[in-house]
Amino acid sequence: MVHFTRICFRKYGSFVDNLRLYVRGGTGGMGLPRLGGQGGKGGDVWVVATKSMTLKRIKDQYPQKRFIGGAGGNSSVRALKGESGKDIEISAPIGISVTTDDGKILGHLNAEGDCVMVAKGGPGGSFCSAFEPNKGQAKHIRLDLKLIADVGMVGFPNAGKSSLLTTMCNATPQIASYAFTTIKPELGKLVYKDHKQISVADLPGLIEGAHINKGMGHKFLKHMERTKQLLFVVDVCGFQLASKTPFRSAFETVQLLTKELELYREELVLKPAILAVNKMDLPNAEDKLQELKEQLHNPDAYSNVLPNDTMPKNYLTFRHVVPVSATTGFGIDHLKSCIRESLDEDAVMATKAIHQEKLQALRYQSHNHF
């Protein structure tokens, strides 16, 4: 028997997953020319991963969003070497990428206590600078939160992702202390009999054109970057977003989802993927499933169903294609087993690769030694 618990989010209000801050290192202290005294260095500004912190809390606590390091102490007769200015630490949620305004990555905060210096304090005045102090670095930075989960669910609206997650994690909701404080994305946790835990993120439904900022799906595409694997969820009978939009079959849906991920970031489609074919309780579902399997087996033969610009560069090969019904519970246990099997397979491969690297390093050392 596999046991599951559902993890939900504490709600703090409006959702914030990106924050722009001004940071400046402290100015150095004045030097003392007649005695050759050196001013103290200005304080640095750091971003530090802190448990239970959210971007919304930073925004609320520091409405000006300005963080400036302490000034270095001046050199004096009593203390020729001026005191260093105070460092400033900005507490931020775990799962943050820190970038400059132009997108240069300064660092990632993946675990509690991880830190990155974002603005260096200026050196104090010394002989080299004619005893004049230097200003600290100044810049705007962005804190970008990306959800960390084992599996990310991908699907258009009405595919039944939320229902599927609820069925997979069929226990009373609990509150999790997690930086993603919104009810829009949801994180379910599968807890297996041997206490293995697998986190599954359900992100709001994409729509065609999400990569060019249509709808809100584009806002959450970035959260796929930190998931280990993808779980595509499609309606076996296809779907139609609105009366003015074209009807899409299950096969077309798979290709359009792949295209959206590809256009946002091509590496996303290199992740291992499983396909959950939902709503198998509907009439004619079995026939539709067989049709989909045939199309996935030989996609080139059916590539004419969509315009060329909506077909992905490469077709995804799914590790498992699992028919399910979130409504009746059909296929859910098999899907959970496939998710576990796929992740375990990757973990074994990763461990082997690490062992190979260590062996090669040892051989290289031995060869050089002799």
Side-chain angles (χ1 to χ4, degrees):
M1 172 76 182
V2 183
H3 300 286
F4 299 91
T5 58
R6 177 77 180 279
I7 306 293
C8 292
F9 300 95
R10 186 175 280 121
K11 189 179 177 186
Y12 292 100
S14 58
F15 172 64
V16 179
D17 70 349
N18 189 288
L19 201 56
R20 185 172 184 254
L21 307 174
Y22 174 78
V23 293
R24 192 177 82 215
T27 304
M30 291 283 291
L32 189 63
R34 64 191 176 91
L35 295 177
Q38 187 173 344
K41 177 187 167 295
D44 303 323
V45 182
W46 296 78
V47 179
V48 183
T50 309
K51 200 174 179 182
S52 302
M53 179 51 76
T54 69
L55 290 182
K56 182 166 191 310
R57 200 175 292 167
I58 299 172
K59 191 179 176 184
D60 291 344
Q61 285 179 1
Y62 305 97
Q64 300 295 322
K65 294 180 282 189
R66 292 171 65 85
F67 297 87
I68 298 169
N74 295 334
S75 173
S76 65
V77 174
R78 289 183 184 176
L80 285 180
K81 173 82 171 159
E83 281 189 19
S84 294
K86 186 182 176 186
D87 288 351
I88 297 294
E89 291 189 356
I90 306 168
S91 295
I94 297 164
I96 284 285
S97 288
V98 186
T99 64
T100 58
D101 250 0
D102 57 3
K104 181 187 173 190
I105 294 172
L106 300 176
H108 299 290
L109 308 181
N110 293 327
E112 188 176 3
D114 283 359
C115 57
V116 57
M117 187 196 293
V118 290
K120 195 174 176 65
S126 65
F127 178 79
C128 298
S129 65
F131 299 97
E132 288 294 319
N134 291 279
K135 290 181 178 178
Q137 291 177 337
K139 61 177 81 114
H140 280 96
I141 62 166
R142 289 185 183 273
L143 305 184
D144 199 28
L145 180 63
K146 292 177 184 176
L147 179 63
I148 303 172
D150 295 313
V151 180
M153 297 175 89
V154 187
F156 286 134
N158 305 321
K161 292 190 288 104
S162 296
S163 305
L164 188 58
L165 187 66
T166 303
T167 309
M168 287 168 69
C169 309
N170 52 5
T172 309
Q174 299 174 5
I175 297 298
S177 178
Y178 198 84
F180 232 98
T181 50
T182 173
I183 57 168
K184 286 176 183 173
E186 288 187 310
L187 191 70
K189 206 158 248 190
L190 311 184
V191 184
Y192 291 80
K193 198 176 179 181
D194 61 356
H195 307 296
K196 166 83 174 179
Q197 294 190 8
I198 292 174
S199 54
V200 183
D202 169 26
L203 304 174
L206 294 173
I207 62 170
E208 288 180 48
H211 69 281
I212 50 170
N213 293 4
K214 288 183 184 174
M216 66 174 178
H218 77 280
K219 186 177 181 182
F220 298 102
L221 273 171
K222 66 178 183 181
H223 301 298
M224 286 295 159
E225 292 177 42
R226 291 202 182 183
T227 59
K228 294 176 185 172
Q229 302 199 353
L230 303 177
L231 175 61
F232 278 57
V233 183
V234 299
D235 182 333
V236 68
C237 295
F239 94 106
Q240 188 171 16
L241 185 63
S243 56
K244 291 180 181 177
T245 58
F247 173 82
R248 301 300 192 191
S249 69
F251 175 73
E252 290 172 302
T253 303
V254 169
Q255 305 315 326
L256 287 166
L257 285 169
T258 306
K259 182 72 173 177
E260 283 303 325
L261 295 181
E262 196 176 73
L263 287 170
Y264 175 74
R265 185 151 294 173
E266 218 162 309
E267 304 92 88
L268 285 180
V269 296
L270 300 176
K271 290 178 184 285
I274 294 171
L275 175 61
V277 186
N278 196 15
K279 306 192 183 180
M280 288 300 296
D281 52 295
L282 295 176
N284 304 319
E286 196 57 49
D287 292 342
K288 300 274 187 189
L289 176 66
Q290 293 311 315
E291 184 184 341
L292 172 61
K293 283 183 173 178
E294 166 60 29
Q295 290 169 323
L296 290 173
H297 184 68
N298 189 15
D300 281 322
Y302 299 93
S303 60
N304 60 343
V305 297
L306 284 169
N308 283 340
D309 61 344
T310 57
M311 288 300 281
K313 286 183 189 174
N314 298 295
Y315 299 112
L316 261 180
T317 302
F318 294 101
R319 286 190 174 177
H320 303 277
V321 177
V322 189
V324 297
S325 169
T327 306
T328 66
F330 165 76
I332 298 297
D333 284 339
H334 182 47
L335 177 59
K336 292 167 187 170
S337 300
C338 289
I339 291 170
R340 170 81 186 259
E341 184 186 310
S342 185
L343 284 163
D344 285 351
E345 190 182 311
D346 275 3
V348 169
M349 285 167 65
T351 304
K352 279 183 180 174
I354 290 166
H355 285 165
Q356 281 296 113
E357 279 180 24
K358 285 182 177 175
L359 276 172
Q360 282 181 335
L362 283 170
R363 283 174 189 147
Y364 179 76
Q365 285 172 3
S366 302
H367 177 74
N368 282 357
H369 183 71
F370 294 108

